[in-house]
Structure formats: C-alpha cells, structure tokens
Amino acid sequence: MGALTAFAALWAMPSQAAQLVRIGAAHFPPYTIRPENGADTGLLPQLVEALNALQTHYQFVLVPTSIPRRFGDFKQGRIDMAIFENPAWGWEDIPHTDVDMGLEDAEIFVAQRQPENRPARQQEYFDDLKGKRLALFSGYHYEFANFNADPKYLATTYNATLTYSHDSNLLMVLRGRADIALVTRSYLSDYFLRNLKVADQLLVSDRIDQVYHHYAILRPAAPISGEAFSHLLQGLRDNGQMLKIFDPYKIAIVPVPR
C-alpha cells in the first residue's frame, strides 16, 4: 500500500476522536530543547506539528521524560513512542517495533585551535584520545567507548567530565578545561549560527565517532503501528516538510529500505 493510499484509507474512516500517541521528549539538543521555563523547542516539536497537520486520525503529543528515564516510561506505558533513537541504544531487551526514519546525523570531535604562537593542531590530534580530557553528554552512547554509557566507566577510562549541556562542553574546550568535546553535527551547526565568532576558535574533526541513523521506537501496544507511522513519515518527505525541518541542521535525509 502506497503512502497516498494509506492516507486515503485514514480519511475515509468514520469521524471519530483522534487516537492519542504520546511521544517521549527527552532533553537532546537540537532535537528537543527543554528550557527552564516554557514549552519544549527544537526539531521534535516541529516534527510533531507537521505530523498533526498532515492528518487527523492521530494526535501526537509530547510527554516530558529524560534520557535515563525514557526506558522505564516506555515499558510502563507512559509513552508510546521514542523518536530519534537507535535500537542498539539499550532497547535490545525491551519489546518494541522500530521504524527507520530515513534521517542521519553524526557525532564529531571538537578541540580548541592552538594560539597563533604555537604549532597549529591538525586532524591527527583526534586520532588518539589517550591522555586527553573529554567533555561528554551524560547518557549518550559513544562508539569510541563501545557504547558503554556508564558515567564511572567514562570518567575513569577516558578522563571524561559528563554534563547535560553541549554548550557547557564546548565552553569547557574554549576555556581550556577540556581538550575534546563530542557533539552532534546538527548541534554544532546550530551552535555556530548562534555564536558566529566561535567557529574560528574551534577545530572540528574529520573523524566521526558514529553516524546516527535515526529510528522511532514504538511500544507493541501503541495506538499507531509501525507501518502506519512509516506512511506518515513518507507523507512528510513527499510534501517537503522533512527537508524543511531537518536540512538547516545538516541532518541528512536518506532513502528508507522498502
């Protein structure tokens, strides 16, 4: 069944209340940005708005959660879906359906450029992390650490400081309190737009720690099936909304296997 056929089937259904689909919203810039006051912002709220504008059979809503808590919220049925995930990020033993979102981001290394009176740092600086102080985002699964997100392990094995802010980690690098920060390519793109003078002070790695191929993770009892959600995402690709939302952040829209 094609996307247009699926949408026609939805619209042909008798009028009824929209099915409520609860999506977990964990602070994960630039995907979800949780301010101290006010509503969440970022790419996830934009995606939810586009999904709701596309059709009327489902009503997608955001439910606050956190990176460590999202697994429990999912298993307990507090949320129906987690988005911008990967099945390898701790979901292996949790019953679920995963949907390929056709989106790719990447995790990259960032260091401070050397002062002009010292030899310039080159890309080789990122080849070996031993002896360097790392600034990492707490709860993230990094490939260089074999996806072990345990804070004690990262602190002792990689001399890592963990925070809940990419901004804080980049400031640690700029102020010499850390040698390397790892950030998502999408976040760094947004950071440079907000801090125009900073780009010249930072050396960005050609080395990629990992490519994030994004999936949606659905509960087995979710009000929407994986197939139906996949059709909705295809609808957003077809009407240009996916490109409009994600392209400014250098998040690649890639083909989804059929």
Side-chain angles (χ1 to χ4, degrees), residues 14-75:
S15 177
Q16 60 183 19
Q19 296 263 15
L20 196 66
V21 182
R22 299 160 299 174
I23 300 177
H27 182 65
F28 178 26
Y31 297 92
T32 305
I33 303 169
R34 177 151 302 143
E36 292 184 5
N37 298 297
D40 289 344
T41 60
L43 298 175
L44 178 56
Q46 292 181 54
L47 178 62
V48 165
E49 182 180 0
L51 287 167
N52 287 333
L54 182 68
Q55 48 74 50
T56 58
H57 189 66
Y58 302 101
Q59 179 68 28
F60 295 90
V61 298
L62 297 180
V63 175
T65 186
S66 68
I67 289 176
R69 199 179 71 230
R70 72 194 195 281
F71 301 109
D73 287 345
F74 185 90
K75 289 188 287 187

Side-chain angles (χ1 to χ4, degrees), residues 16-225:
Q16 60 183 19
Q19 296 263 15
L20 196 66
V21 182
R22 299 160 299 174
I23 300 177
H27 182 65
F28 178 26
Y31 297 92
T32 305
I33 303 169
R34 177 151 302 143
E36 292 184 5
N37 298 297
D40 289 344
T41 60
L43 298 175
L44 178 56
Q46 292 181 54
L47 178 62
V48 165
E49 182 180 0
L51 287 167
N52 287 333
L54 182 68
Q55 48 74 50
T56 58
H57 189 66
Y58 302 101
Q59 179 68 28
F60 295 90
V61 298
L62 297 180
V63 175
T65 186
S66 68
I67 289 176
R69 199 179 71 230
R70 72 194 195 281
F71 301 109
D73 287 345
F74 185 90
K75 289 188 287 187
Q76 294 162 18
R78 186 169 175 265
I79 60 175
D80 301 306
M81 185 187 304
I83 288 187
F84 307 124
E85 290 280 355
N86 189 294
W89 295 346
W91 298 99
E92 296 90 339
D93 298 325
I94 300 174
H96 71 272
T97 299
D98 52 72
V99 175
D100 190 334
M101 298 184 70
L103 297 170
E104 283 188 352
D105 200 350
E107 195 83 31
I108 53 180
F109 301 82
V110 181
Q112 187 179 25
R113 292 186 183 275
Q114 292 281 42
E116 294 182 0
N117 61 348
R118 299 176 64 181
R121 279 179 177 157
Q122 306 294 335
Q123 287 295 324
E124 292 77 12
Y125 184 73
F126 301 107
D127 291 346
D128 189 357
L129 302 179
K130 292 179 182 178
K132 298 184 175 73
R133 300 164 298 165
L134 303 187
L136 308 178
F137 200 107
S138 183
Y140 278 26
H141 296 75
Y142 295 101
E143 185 170 311
F144 77 86
N146 297 313
F147 301 106
N148 187 338
D150 179 67
K152 291 183 179 179
Y153 170 79
L154 293 171
T156 56
T157 308
Y158 293 99
N159 195 16
T161 298
L162 287 87
T163 76
Y164 288 98
S165 167
H166 282 314
D167 271 22
S168 295
N169 291 345
L170 290 170
L171 282 173
M172 288 175 64
V173 168
L174 288 167
R175 294 170 179 172
R177 293 171 50 207
D179 299 309
I180 294 175
L182 272 81
V183 297
T184 54
R185 183 174 57 203
S186 57
Y187 187 87
L188 189 63
S189 175
D190 179 60
Y191 184 81
F192 284 159
L193 290 175
R194 293 184 285 111
N195 301 272
L196 297 176
K197 297 181 180 180
V198 169
D200 292 339
Q201 302 176 46
L202 293 173
L203 176 67
V204 180
S205 69
D206 294 332
R207 175 186 175 184
I208 293 175
D209 180 61
Q210 62 178 304
V211 172
Y212 289 142
H213 193 94
H214 288 308
Y215 292 80
I217 306 292
L218 283 68
R219 275 197 320 125
I224 186 171
S225 68

Side-chain angles (χ1 to χ4, degrees), residues 231-249:
H231 283 312
L232 294 184
L233 293 177
Q234 183 60 51
L236 295 182
R237 282 189 283 273
D238 293 342
N239 70 12
Q241 285 299 304
M242 291 286 268
L243 187 66
K244 180 180 178 181
I245 293 170
F246 295 103
D247 187 60
Y249 290 84

